[in-house]
Amino acid sequence: MRTPTIDKSEIQAQRAVMELIKSSNPGRKALVETYGCQQNVNDSQRLMGMLTEMGYTLTDDREEADLILMNTCAVRDNAEQRVFGNLGALKHLKARKPELIIGVCGCMPQQELVAEKIRAKYRHVDLIFGTHALYRFPSLLAEALEHRSRVLDIGGEGAIAEGLPVLYEGGAKAFVSVMYGCNNFCSYCIVPYVRGRERSRLADDVVAEVRELAGRGVKEVMLLGQNVNSYGNDRGETDAFAGLLRRVGEIDGIERIRFMSSHPKDISESLLEAMAECPKVCRQLHLPLQSGSDKVLKDMNRRYTAERYREIVRRVRELMPGLSLTTDIIVGFPTEERADFEETLKMLRDIRFDSIFSFIFSPREGTPAAKMESAAADGEKSAWFQEMLDVQNEISAEINSRCVGEIQEILVEGESKHEPDMLSGRNYANKIVNFRGDGSLKDKLVKVKITKAQTWILYGEQA
Ligand code: SAM
Ligand code: SF4
Ligand code: F3S
């Protein structure tokens, strides 16, 4: 078994290109717009790290940017449409400012047909590259800057690239990818096609990165992978994530550890034990269910049953009472009928998740589910979706209301976006807690007594 890894000399070559661009950079500004999941946020931090090394200043303002890079997501049609809409809007800016470089990267251009559409219909885009070419960004940019011609780098295989700069921008919180890609091929999902096969970073590299983060004042890390339960499998290891969790738990300065996602089909007893035994691992688990119907789960190629899922939840709660549980649900999978949907509602009522991330099924070209005939009409699916939200909102509000009176530890992120006279942070369950306090508490862990609860947010006062 071999995990493809980019040779050090190649990374060095990219570093040399970064130096070269920096030496002739007259103070250009760059904007990176990120769509999609935490892995993309993490990738954008790499792109921003490289841009900073190349002498770029980062900006949020499209008007003043000399380079606009869209790091895209392909998981649902609405994510892609948003990118196409935003790309269309940049046409006028490019006409006014021809030296502006516009790039599209990430999961969308990793699909050949989409890359072709961008190339053919959005002629103001200069740079198109997929997820597998991320580490080559400096040389692609150099080509675009030097030749002023369109540059395309898609396809290929994914590999691990260590040693690239990263711009951490989350204060006391950071994302750390432990693996890339996915081998599961759930029948609805585009991710394995755009992210390639599973590749795990070496535990030593992950631990070194987390140590460095702790040295910079990071207190909370979220370990990322599409299915962290198979971390290490590509290197011939079994159940390696539990060991990694324990090693990260020993790093001084790190106070909180989270991870996502976990596939229920291969969550292991040793992982649950590692969670339970490591006090720094937050009492929180994101365990995507997708559907409560065995028929639909089978058609989704999820490879577990509703009963197996219930069994895992029982065990998790036995080992970690009070653990906060969240999930992902897809409504309107082609073979889903009303009776299947009702089984999902029953699961929600029985399990009582703290919250759910729910999506209406979106056919993705190239996946098996995109070719399946749909049992329910679109209008019906939207009605089910709303019905499910109503059921869940009541449960979430009820669970939150039970927190009133508790003293919880909050990692303060700063001023609340919507209530600027308040500070905002997250509790162990990753729920937002707002309270009044001094700005100097930012990035600190603070004890807060919960005084009021709403469906999505808790309020409190410093204890
Ligand atoms: N690997 C993770 C997992 O298996 O749970 C997350 C994958 S994906 C980035 C996040 C969620 O998007 C999935 O859990 C699923 O609920 C949803 N999703 C993926 N493909 C979808 C599709 N074609 N239509 C609607 N939702 C989709
Ligand atoms: Fe997609 Fe399934 Fe892989 Fe998650 S586990 S990324 S849903 S294929
Ligand atoms: Fe989207 Fe790619 Fe993540 S498709 S959800 S950004 S892995």
Side-chain angles (χ1 to χ4, degrees), residues 208-251:
E209 183 175 349
V210 178
R211 272 216 186 94
E212 198 208 319
L213 287 166
R216 295 169 181 232
V218 167
K219 295 190 173 76
E220 177 180 316
V221 287
M222 165 89 85
L223 305 178
L224 298 176
Q226 293 299 345
N227 174 21
V228 294
N229 300 322
S230 49
Y231 169 77
N233 290 5
D234 53 306
R235 294 184 180 275
E237 300 163 12
T238 37
D239 219 359
F241 189 65
L244 182 66
L245 210 51
R246 288 181 195 272
R247 282 187 67 184
V248 173
E250 281 164 10
I251 298 173

mmCIF file of all heavy atoms in Angstrom, residues 208-251:
data_model
loop_
_atom_site.group_PDB
_atom_site.id
_atom_site.type_symbol
_atom_site.label_atom_id
_atom_site.label_comp_id
_atom_site.label_asym_id
_atom_site.label_seq_id
_atom_site.Cartn_x
_atom_site.Cartn_y
_atom_site.Cartn_z
ATOM 1 N N ALA A 208 2.948 17.481 14.581
ATOM 2 C CA ALA A 208 3.857 18.637 14.476
ATOM 3 C C ALA A 208 3.065 19.906 14.160
ATOM 4 O O ALA A 208 3.325 20.980 14.720
ATOM 5 C CB ALA A 208 4.907 18.377 13.394
ATOM 6 N N GLU A 209 2.070 19.785 13.267
ATOM 7 C CA GLU A 209 1.282 20.978 12.926
ATOM 8 C C GLU A 209 0.483 21.463 14.137
ATOM 9 O O GLU A 209 0.435 22.659 14.417
ATOM 10 C CB GLU A 209 0.337 20.679 11.748
ATOM 11 C CG GLU A 209 -0.438 21.924 11.340
ATOM 12 C CD GLU A 209 -1.316 21.755 10.094
ATOM 13 O OE1 GLU A 209 -1.193 20.747 9.394
ATOM 14 O OE2 GLU A 209 -2.139 22.671 9.864
ATOM 15 N N VAL A 210 -0.112 20.514 14.864
ATOM 16 C CA VAL A 210 -0.917 20.927 16.021
ATOM 17 C C VAL A 210 -0.004 21.557 17.087
ATOM 18 O O VAL A 210 -0.364 22.551 17.719
ATOM 19 C CB VAL A 210 -1.731 19.740 16.594
ATOM 20 C CG1 VAL A 210 -2.514 20.175 17.826
ATOM 21 C CG2 VAL A 210 -2.680 19.172 15.544
ATOM 22 N N ARG A 211 1.210 21.009 17.248
ATOM 23 C CA ARG A 211 2.160 21.599 18.209
ATOM 24 C C ARG A 211 2.477 23.034 17.822
ATOM 25 O O ARG A 211 2.515 23.929 18.663
ATOM 26 C CB ARG A 211 3.477 20.812 18.208
ATOM 27 C CG ARG A 211 3.459 19.694 19.133
ATOM 28 C CD ARG A 211 4.814 19.439 19.815
ATOM 29 N NE ARG A 211 4.620 18.211 20.557
ATOM 30 C CZ ARG A 211 4.919 17.006 20.083
ATOM 31 N NH1 ARG A 211 5.512 16.866 18.920
ATOM 32 N NH2 ARG A 211 4.655 15.942 20.800
ATOM 33 N N GLU A 212 2.707 23.224 16.534
ATOM 34 C CA GLU A 212 3.038 24.578 16.068
ATOM 35 C C GLU A 212 1.863 25.526 16.344
ATOM 36 O O GLU A 212 2.046 26.652 16.791
ATOM 37 C CB GLU A 212 3.345 24.534 14.570
ATOM 38 C CG GLU A 212 4.096 25.763 14.103
ATOM 39 C CD GLU A 212 3.830 26.094 12.649
ATOM 40 O OE1 GLU A 212 3.774 25.153 11.840
ATOM 41 O OE2 GLU A 212 3.662 27.297 12.356
ATOM 42 N N LEU A 213 0.661 25.026 16.084
ATOM 43 C CA LEU A 213 -0.532 25.842 16.331
ATOM 44 C C LEU A 213 -0.645 26.188 17.808
ATOM 45 O O LEU A 213 -0.940 27.331 18.168
ATOM 46 C CB LEU A 213 -1.786 25.086 15.872
ATOM 47 C CG LEU A 213 -1.968 24.996 14.352
ATOM 48 C CD1 LEU A 213 -3.017 23.958 13.994
ATOM 49 C CD2 LEU A 213 -2.361 26.359 13.790
ATOM 50 N N ALA A 214 -0.387 25.199 18.661
ATOM 51 C CA ALA A 214 -0.472 25.453 20.102
ATOM 52 C C ALA A 214 0.533 26.547 20.485
ATOM 53 O O ALA A 214 0.228 27.437 21.288
ATOM 54 C CB ALA A 214 -0.194 24.171 20.874
ATOM 55 N N GLY A 215 1.699 26.505 19.854
ATOM 56 C CA GLY A 215 2.722 27.518 20.108
ATOM 57 C C GLY A 215 2.262 28.908 19.699
ATOM 58 O O GLY A 215 2.706 29.913 20.256
ATOM 59 N N ARG A 216 1.352 28.978 18.749
ATOM 60 C CA ARG A 216 0.832 30.280 18.316
ATOM 61 C C ARG A 216 -0.401 30.705 19.098
ATOM 62 O O ARG A 216 -1.073 31.662 18.740
ATOM 63 C CB ARG A 216 0.388 30.207 16.854
ATOM 64 C CG ARG A 216 1.457 29.967 15.846
ATOM 65 C CD ARG A 216 0.745 29.665 14.547
ATOM 66 N NE ARG A 216 1.675 29.384 13.477
ATOM 67 C CZ ARG A 216 1.647 29.990 12.305
ATOM 68 N NH1 ARG A 216 0.737 30.904 12.045
ATOM 69 N NH2 ARG A 216 2.513 29.681 11.377
ATOM 70 N N GLY A 217 -0.774 29.918 20.084
ATOM 71 C CA GLY A 217 -1.907 30.310 20.935
ATOM 72 C C GLY A 217 -3.225 29.639 20.582
ATOM 73 O O GLY A 217 -4.269 29.990 21.131
ATOM 74 N N VAL A 218 -3.170 28.669 19.648
ATOM 75 C CA VAL A 218 -4.416 27.958 19.313
ATOM 76 C C VAL A 218 -4.795 27.027 20.468
ATOM 77 O O VAL A 218 -3.948 26.321 21.013
ATOM 78 C CB VAL A 218 -4.257 27.169 17.992
ATOM 79 C CG1 VAL A 218 -5.398 26.177 17.797
ATOM 80 C CG2 VAL A 218 -4.195 28.141 16.816
ATOM 81 N N LYS A 219 -6.081 27.076 20.840
ATOM 82 C CA LYS A 219 -6.541 26.232 21.963
ATOM 83 C C LYS A 219 -7.450 25.105 21.498
ATOM 84 O O LYS A 219 -7.627 24.119 22.204
ATOM 85 C CB LYS A 219 -7.311 27.096 22.965
ATOM 86 C CG LYS A 219 -6.452 28.161 23.637
ATOM 87 C CD LYS A 219 -7.223 28.802 24.779
ATOM 88 C CE LYS A 219 -6.347 29.740 25.586
ATOM 89 N NZ LYS A 219 -6.116 31.019 24.908
ATOM 90 N N GLU A 220 -8.077 25.306 20.324
ATOM 91 C CA GLU A 220 -9.033 24.292 19.851
ATOM 92 C C GLU A 220 -8.693 23.875 18.420
ATOM 93 O O GLU A 220 -8.552 24.724 17.554
ATOM 94 C CB GLU A 220 -10.452 24.879 19.894
ATOM 95 C CG GLU A 220 -11.488 23.924 19.357
ATOM 96 C CD GLU A 220 -12.913 24.487 19.398
ATOM 97 O OE1 GLU A 220 -13.298 25.090 20.415
ATOM 98 O OE2 GLU A 220 -13.616 24.319 18.390
ATOM 99 N N VAL A 221 -8.571 22.579 18.205
ATOM 100 C CA VAL A 221 -8.354 22.109 16.836
ATOM 101 C C VAL A 221 -9.513 21.215 16.402
ATOM 102 O O VAL A 221 -10.049 20.441 17.186
ATOM 103 C CB VAL A 221 -7.026 21.332 16.638
ATOM 104 C CG1 VAL A 221 -5.838 22.257 16.662
ATOM 105 C CG2 VAL A 221 -6.865 20.210 17.648
ATOM 106 N N MET A 222 -9.877 21.377 15.137
ATOM 107 C CA MET A 222 -10.879 20.487 14.526
ATOM 108 C C MET A 222 -10.127 19.645 13.514
ATOM 109 O O MET A 222 -9.582 20.162 12.528
ATOM 110 C CB MET A 222 -11.941 21.350 13.843
ATOM 111 C CG MET A 222 -12.827 20.616 12.886
ATOM 112 S SD MET A 222 -14.279 19.918 13.636
ATOM 113 C CE MET A 222 -15.413 21.276 13.613
ATOM 114 N N LEU A 223 -10.041 18.333 13.769
ATOM 115 C CA LEU A 223 -9.330 17.432 12.859
ATOM 116 C C LEU A 223 -10.296 17.048 11.733
ATOM 117 O O LEU A 223 -11.418 16.603 11.998
ATOM 118 C CB LEU A 223 -8.849 16.195 13.614
ATOM 119 C CG LEU A 223 -7.989 16.488 14.860
ATOM 120 C CD1 LEU A 223 -7.603 15.193 15.565
ATOM 121 C CD2 LEU A 223 -6.735 17.284 14.506
ATOM 122 N N LEU A 224 -9.852 17.235 10.500
ATOM 123 C CA LEU A 224 -10.764 17.085 9.365
ATOM 124 C C LEU A 224 -10.434 15.910 8.460
ATOM 125 O O LEU A 224 -9.270 15.643 8.159
ATOM 126 C CB LEU A 224 -10.711 18.339 8.479
ATOM 127 C CG LEU A 224 -11.123 19.673 9.077
ATOM 128 C CD1 LEU A 224 -10.890 20.776 8.048
ATOM 129 C CD2 LEU A 224 -12.587 19.637 9.503
ATOM 130 N N GLY A 225 -11.492 15.273 8.002
ATOM 131 C CA GLY A 225 -11.391 14.239 6.976
ATOM 132 C C GLY A 225 -12.815 13.919 6.560
ATOM 133 O O GLY A 225 -13.741 14.099 7.364
ATOM 134 N N GLN A 226 -13.018 13.441 5.329
ATOM 135 C CA GLN A 226 -14.391 13.095 4.940
ATOM 136 C C GLN A 226 -14.900 11.922 5.763
ATOM 137 O O GLN A 226 -16.084 11.777 5.991
ATOM 138 C CB GLN A 226 -14.484 12.780 3.436
ATOM 139 C CG GLN A 226 -14.224 13.970 2.531
ATOM 140 C CD GLN A 226 -15.203 15.117 2.727
ATOM 141 O OE1 GLN A 226 -16.248 14.967 3.333
ATOM 142 N NE2 GLN A 226 -14.858 16.281 2.207
ATOM 143 N N ASN A 227 -13.995 11.061 6.195
ATOM 144 C CA ASN A 227 -14.371 9.967 7.093
ATOM 145 C C ASN A 227 -13.145 9.628 7.931
ATOM 146 O O ASN A 227 -12.338 8.790 7.552
ATOM 147 C CB ASN A 227 -14.827 8.752 6.279
ATOM 148 C CG ASN A 227 -15.077 7.554 7.169
ATOM 149 O OD1 ASN A 227 -15.295 7.692 8.375
ATOM 150 N ND2 ASN A 227 -15.024 6.378 6.587
ATOM 151 N N VAL A 228 -13.012 10.312 9.064
ATOM 152 C CA VAL A 228 -11.787 10.146 9.865
ATOM 153 C C VAL A 228 -11.635 8.712 10.379
ATOM 154 O O VAL A 228 -10.531 8.304 10.738
ATOM 155 C CB VAL A 228 -11.724 11.138 11.055
ATOM 156 C CG1 VAL A 228 -11.593 12.568 10.577
ATOM 157 C CG2 VAL A 228 -12.901 10.968 11.977
ATOM 158 N N ASN A 229 -12.732 7.953 10.378
ATOM 159 C CA ASN A 229 -12.631 6.568 10.872
ATOM 160 C C ASN A 229 -11.732 5.710 10.002
ATOM 161 O O ASN A 229 -11.269 4.665 10.435
ATOM 162 C CB ASN A 229 -14.006 5.922 10.940
ATOM 163 C CG ASN A 229 -14.927 6.681 11.856
ATOM 164 O OD1 ASN A 229 -14.499 7.164 12.881
ATOM 165 N ND2 ASN A 229 -16.162 6.822 11.469
ATOM 166 N N SER A 230 -11.533 6.110 8.749
ATOM 167 C CA SER A 230 -10.636 5.294 7.920
ATOM 168 C C SER A 230 -9.247 5.929 7.818
ATOM 169 O O SER A 230 -8.447 5.536 6.965
ATOM 170 C CB SER A 230 -11.246 5.043 6.538
ATOM 171 O OG SER A 230 -11.705 6.221 5.976
ATOM 172 N N TYR A 231 -8.969 6.891 8.722
ATOM 173 C CA TYR A 231 -7.629 7.495 8.750
ATOM 174 C C TYR A 231 -6.569 6.386 8.893
ATOM 175 O O TYR A 231 -6.684 5.522 9.767
ATOM 176 C CB TYR A 231 -7.517 8.484 9.930
ATOM 177 C CG TYR A 231 -6.100 8.947 10.175
ATOM 178 C CD1 TYR A 231 -5.510 9.904 9.358
ATOM 179 C CD2 TYR A 231 -5.325 8.382 11.197
ATOM 180 C CE1 TYR A 231 -4.196 10.299 9.559
ATOM 181 C CE2 TYR A 231 -4.012 8.774 11.401
ATOM 182 C CZ TYR A 231 -3.458 9.727 10.575
ATOM 183 O OH TYR A 231 -2.159 10.119 10.757
ATOM 184 N N GLY A 232 -5.572 6.421 8.043
ATOM 185 C CA GLY A 232 -4.462 5.464 8.143
ATOM 186 C C GLY A 232 -4.663 4.192 7.337
ATOM 187 O O GLY A 232 -3.705 3.478 7.067
ATOM 188 N N ASN A 233 -5.916 3.889 6.951
ATOM 189 C CA ASN A 233 -6.159 2.633 6.214
ATOM 190 C C ASN A 233 -5.317 2.568 4.940
ATOM 191 O O ASN A 233 -4.819 1.513 4.569
ATOM 192 C CB ASN A 233 -7.635 2.489 5.824
ATOM 193 C CG ASN A 233 -8.521 2.231 7.039
ATOM 194 O OD1 ASN A 233 -8.040 2.256 8.169
ATOM 195 N ND2 ASN A 233 -9.800 2.010 6.811
ATOM 196 N N ASP A 234 -5.161 3.718 4.267
ATOM 197 C CA ASP A 234 -4.390 3.747 3.021
ATOM 198 C C ASP A 234 -2.910 3.482 3.277
ATOM 199 O O ASP A 234 -2.158 3.200 2.350
ATOM 200 C CB ASP A 234 -4.576 5.096 2.302
ATOM 201 C CG ASP A 234 -4.273 6.284 3.211
ATOM 202 O OD1 ASP A 234 -4.861 6.360 4.302
ATOM 203 O OD2 ASP A 234 -3.429 7.121 2.839
ATOM 204 N N ARG A 235 -2.486 3.582 4.520
ATOM 205 C CA ARG A 235 -1.086 3.282 4.867
ATOM 206 C C ARG A 235 -0.971 1.892 5.481
ATOM 207 O O ARG A 235 0.042 1.550 6.079
ATOM 208 C CB ARG A 235 -0.548 4.325 5.849
ATOM 209 C CG ARG A 235 -0.449 5.721 5.254
ATOM 210 C CD ARG A 235 0.185 6.687 6.234
ATOM 211 N NE ARG A 235 0.275 8.016 5.666
ATOM 212 C CZ ARG A 235 1.274 8.442 4.887
ATOM 213 N NH1 ARG A 235 2.265 7.630 4.601
ATOM 214 N NH2 ARG A 235 1.274 9.667 4.400
ATOM 215 N N GLY A 236 -2.067 1.129 5.392
ATOM 216 C CA GLY A 236 -2.041 -0.243 5.899
ATOM 217 C C GLY A 236 -2.270 -0.327 7.395
ATOM 218 O O GLY A 236 -2.099 -1.381 8.002
ATOM 219 N N GLU A 237 -2.660 0.791 8.016
ATOM 220 C CA GLU A 237 -2.925 0.762 9.464
ATOM 221 C C GLU A 237 -4.405 0.491 9.685
ATOM 222 O O GLU A 237 -5.212 0.723 8.789
ATOM 223 C CB GLU A 237 -2.564 2.112 10.094
ATOM 224 C CG GLU A 237 -1.107 2.483 9.910
ATOM 225 C CD GLU A 237 -0.847 3.962 10.160
ATOM 226 O OE1 GLU A 237 -1.728 4.650 10.694
ATOM 227 O OE2 GLU A 237 0.243 4.419 9.791
ATOM 228 N N THR A 238 -4.753 0.025 10.872
ATOM 229 C CA THR A 238 -6.190 -0.109 11.169
ATOM 230 C C THR A 238 -6.488 0.677 12.434
ATOM 231 O O THR A 238 -5.691 0.685 13.367
ATOM 232 C CB THR A 238 -6.623 -1.577 11.391
ATOM 233 O OG1 THR A 238 -5.577 -2.239 12.069
ATOM 234 C CG2 THR A 238 -6.961 -2.291 10.110
ATOM 235 N N ASP A 239 -7.633 1.344 12.393
ATOM 236 C CA ASP A 239 -8.112 2.068 13.558
ATOM 237 C C ASP A 239 -7.087 3.084 14.079
ATOM 238 O O ASP A 239 -6.918 3.251 15.290
ATOM 239 C CB ASP A 239 -8.428 1.053 14.671
ATOM 240 C CG ASP A 239 -9.679 1.453 15.408
ATOM 241 O OD1 ASP A 239 -10.252 2.492 15.065
ATOM 242 O OD2 ASP A 239 -10.065 0.733 16.341
ATOM 243 N N ALA A 240 -6.400 3.750 13.162
ATOM 244 C CA ALA A 240 -5.312 4.638 13.571
ATOM 245 C C ALA A 240 -5.816 5.968 14.130
ATOM 246 O O ALA A 240 -5.079 6.672 14.815
ATOM 247 C CB ALA A 240 -4.380 4.895 12.385
ATOM 248 N N PHE A 241 -7.073 6.312 13.835
ATOM 249 C CA PHE A 241 -7.534 7.631 14.283
ATOM 250 C C PHE A 241 -7.599 7.725 15.809
ATOM 251 O O PHE A 241 -7.310 8.773 16.375
ATOM 252 C CB PHE A 241 -8.887 7.993 13.651
ATOM 253 C CG PHE A 241 -9.270 9.415 13.917
ATOM 254 C CD1 PHE A 241 -8.520 10.459 13.385
ATOM 255 C CD2 PHE A 241 -10.349 9.728 14.738
ATOM 256 C CE1 PHE A 241 -8.835 11.787 13.653
ATOM 257 C CE2 PHE A 241 -10.674 11.047 15.014
ATOM 258 C CZ PHE A 241 -9.925 12.084 14.469
ATOM 259 N N ALA A 242 -7.973 6.597 16.443
ATOM 260 C CA ALA A 242 -8.051 6.607 17.906
ATOM 261 C C ALA A 242 -6.675 6.976 18.485
ATOM 262 O O ALA A 242 -6.570 7.805 19.395
ATOM 263 C CB ALA A 242 -8.492 5.240 18.415
ATOM 264 N N GLY A 243 -5.612 6.397 17.912
ATOM 265 C CA GLY A 243 -4.254 6.682 18.384
ATOM 266 C C GLY A 243 -3.883 8.133 18.132
ATOM 267 O O GLY A 243 -3.259 8.790 18.975
ATOM 268 N N LEU A 244 -4.277 8.642 16.968
ATOM 269 C CA LEU A 244 -3.963 10.034 16.634
ATOM 270 C C LEU A 244 -4.647 10.981 17.627
ATOM 271 O O LEU A 244 -4.042 11.951 18.110
ATOM 272 C CB LEU A 244 -4.420 10.341 15.197
ATOM 273 C CG LEU A 244 -4.113 11.749 14.702
ATOM 274 C CD1 LEU A 244 -2.612 11.984 14.572
ATOM 275 C CD2 LEU A 244 -4.786 12.016 13.356
ATOM 276 N N LEU A 245 -5.895 10.667 17.928
ATOM 277 C CA LEU A 245 -6.657 11.496 18.868
ATOM 278 C C LEU A 245 -5.944 11.548 20.226
ATOM 279 O O LEU A 245 -5.801 12.604 20.834
ATOM 280 C CB LEU A 245 -8.044 10.854 19.028
ATOM 281 C CG LEU A 245 -9.229 11.758 19.323
ATOM 282 C CD1 LEU A 245 -9.318 12.912 18.345
ATOM 283 C CD2 LEU A 245 -10.520 10.941 19.275
ATOM 284 N N ARG A 246 -5.465 10.393 20.649
ATOM 285 C CA ARG A 246 -4.764 10.348 21.945
ATOM 286 C C ARG A 246 -3.471 11.173 21.887
ATOM 287 O O ARG A 246 -3.132 11.878 22.832
ATOM 288 C CB ARG A 246 -4.440 8.906 22.339
ATOM 289 C CG ARG A 246 -5.687 8.118 22.761
ATOM 290 C CD ARG A 246 -5.288 6.705 23.167
ATOM 291 N NE ARG A 246 -6.434 5.807 23.232
ATOM 292 C CZ ARG A 246 -7.199 5.629 24.303
ATOM 293 N NH1 ARG A 246 -6.935 6.302 25.408
ATOM 294 N NH2 ARG A 246 -8.212 4.791 24.281
ATOM 295 N N ARG A 247 -2.750 11.093 20.758
ATOM 296 C CA ARG A 247 -1.499 11.857 20.655
ATOM 297 C C ARG A 247 -1.774 13.356 20.651
ATOM 298 O O ARG A 247 -1.089 14.130 21.311
ATOM 299 C CB ARG A 247 -0.741 11.469 19.376
ATOM 300 C CG ARG A 247 -0.003 10.144 19.508
ATOM 301 C CD ARG A 247 0.867 9.886 18.294
ATOM 302 N NE ARG A 247 1.979 10.823 18.174
ATOM 303 C CZ ARG A 247 2.827 10.841 17.152
ATOM 304 N NH1 ARG A 247 2.698 9.952 16.180
ATOM 305 N NH2 ARG A 247 3.807 11.712 17.099
ATOM 306 N N VAL A 248 -2.802 13.766 19.912
ATOM 307 C CA VAL A 248 -3.131 15.201 19.874
ATOM 308 C C VAL A 248 -3.577 15.658 21.272
ATOM 309 O O VAL A 248 -3.279 16.773 21.698
ATOM 310 C CB VAL A 248 -4.213 15.478 18.795
ATOM 311 C CG1 VAL A 248 -4.689 16.920 18.845
ATOM 312 C CG2 VAL A 248 -3.663 15.171 17.403
ATOM 313 N N GLY A 249 -4.239 14.744 21.975
ATOM 314 C CA GLY A 249 -4.718 15.069 23.323
ATOM 315 C C GLY A 249 -3.593 15.317 24.312
ATOM 316 O O GLY A 249 -3.805 15.884 25.377
ATOM 317 N N GLU A 250 -2.373 14.901 23.956
ATOM 318 C CA GLU A 250 -1.234 15.093 24.880
ATOM 319 C C GLU A 250 -0.512 16.411 24.635
ATOM 320 O O GLU A 250 0.436 16.738 25.335
ATOM 321 C CB GLU A 250 -0.237 13.942 24.696
ATOM 322 C CG GLU A 250 -0.690 12.683 25.395
ATOM 323 C CD GLU A 250 0.058 11.457 24.917
ATOM 324 O OE1 GLU A 250 1.063 11.598 24.176
ATOM 325 O OE2 GLU A 250 -0.390 10.349 25.273
ATOM 326 N N ILE A 251 -0.924 17.158 23.623
ATOM 327 C CA ILE A 251 -0.167 18.372 23.276
ATOM 328 C C ILE A 251 -0.528 19.518 24.226
ATOM 329 O O ILE A 251 -1.696 19.885 24.363
ATOM 330 C CB ILE A 251 -0.416 18.752 21.791
ATOM 331 C CG1 ILE A 251 0.092 17.615 20.894
ATOM 332 C CG2 ILE A 251 0.236 20.089 21.450
ATOM 333 C CD1 ILE A 251 -0.229 17.768 19.431
#
